[in-house]
């Protein structure tokens, strides 16, 4: 009977010690640093969203894909994915460009969601995404701010 009780106890200790083997990482600092137009098709707009990735960790971070969702004014405006792979060395940074698509229906929804007095500048945005890095290496991120469009003082 004692041997039967020892096996679960030993398995529990092994599983707890396995968690200690995973390195503790600080989150990446990810910011939008640019948006550039891409060739569009049909009723969609395409842009390249440029992200600055900063690694404040002592180890290199490898990634093999990225996914983005851009919400503006509380509604999804653009989505994008890329199978790019690369690495960000320890205490280093890099820029990653991800193509995103904006459907005509998203633009229409955004237009209808604006009030008559709301301006196009200072619209709140939330960029949600993830960098794929294998079974335990996927890192999720969120960047929030306002879109400051120069010359966008007119209303819709």
């Amino acid at each position: 009977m004692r041997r039967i009780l020892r096996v679960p106890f030993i398995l529990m200790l092994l599983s707890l010690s396995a968690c200690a083997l995973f390195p503790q990482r600080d989150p990446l600092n990810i910011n939008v640093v640019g948006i550039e137009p891409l060739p569009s098709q049909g009723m969609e707009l395409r842009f390249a969203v440029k992200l600055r990735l900063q690694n404040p960790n002592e180890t290199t971070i490898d990634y093999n894909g990225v996914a983005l969702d851009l919400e503006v004014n509380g509604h999804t405006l653009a989505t994008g994915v890329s199978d790019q792979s690369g690495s960000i060395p320890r205490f280093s940074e890099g820029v990653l460009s991800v193509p995103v698509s904006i459907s005509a229906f998203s633009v229409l929804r955004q237009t209808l969601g604006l009030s008559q007095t709301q301006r196009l500048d200072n619209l709140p945005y939330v960029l949600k995404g993830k960098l794929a890095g294998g079974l335990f290496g996927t890192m999720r991120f969120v960047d929030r701010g306002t879109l400051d469009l120069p010359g966008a003082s007119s209303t819709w």
Side-chain angles (χ1 to χ4, degrees):
M1 183 69 174
R2 280 186 137 168
R3 282 191 173 163
I4 293 174
L5 293 176
R6 277 190 209 167
V7 172
F9 181 72
I10 291 171
L11 289 176
M12 184 181 72
L13 285 177
L14 286 174
S15 66
L16 288 175
S17 64
C19 291
L21 296 176
F22 294 120
Q24 295 296 320
R25 290 186 181 171
D26 290 324
L28 289 177
N29 298 319
I30 299 178
N31 297 301
V32 177
V33 294
I35 299 176
E36 297 176 355
L38 292 174
S40 301
Q41 295 180 347
M43 294 179 59
E44 74 173 355
L45 298 172
R46 306 255 310 145
F47 292 94
V49 175
K50 296 197 179 265
L51 304 173
R52 179 163 312 278
L53 310 172
Q54 294 177 330
N55 180 5
N57 295 289
E58 296 179 11
T59 58
T60 297
I61 294 178
D62 297 316
Y63 62 90
N64 59 8
V66 63
L68 297 178
D69 289 318
L70 177 63
E71 294 178 6
V72 175
N73 212 21
H75 299 287
T76 299
L77 177 65
T79 59
V81 293
S82 174
D83 66 350
Q84 295 178 57
S85 61
S87 63
I88 308 162
R90 61 187 291 271
F91 297 108
S92 188
E93 64 180 34
V95 175
L96 177 63
S97 181
V98 181
V100 298
S101 299
I102 302 173
S103 73
F105 297 111
S106 294
V107 172
L108 181 61
R109 184 174 52 240
Q110 287 290 331
T111 304
L112 293 174
L114 292 175
S115 68
Q116 292 298 322
T117 59
Q118 192 169 11
R119 297 163 49 130
L120 295 179
D121 55 345
N122 294 322
L123 289 175
Y125 77 85
V126 178
L127 180 74
K128 298 177 184 176
K130 68 177 179 178
L131 278 177
L135 185 60
F136 297 109
T138 296
M139 300 182 133
R140 297 188 181 277
F141 59 89
V142 176
D143 182 36
R144 299 174 195 277
T146 57
L147 292 175
D148 297 318
L149 304 173
S153 59
S154 63
T155 58
W156 282 11

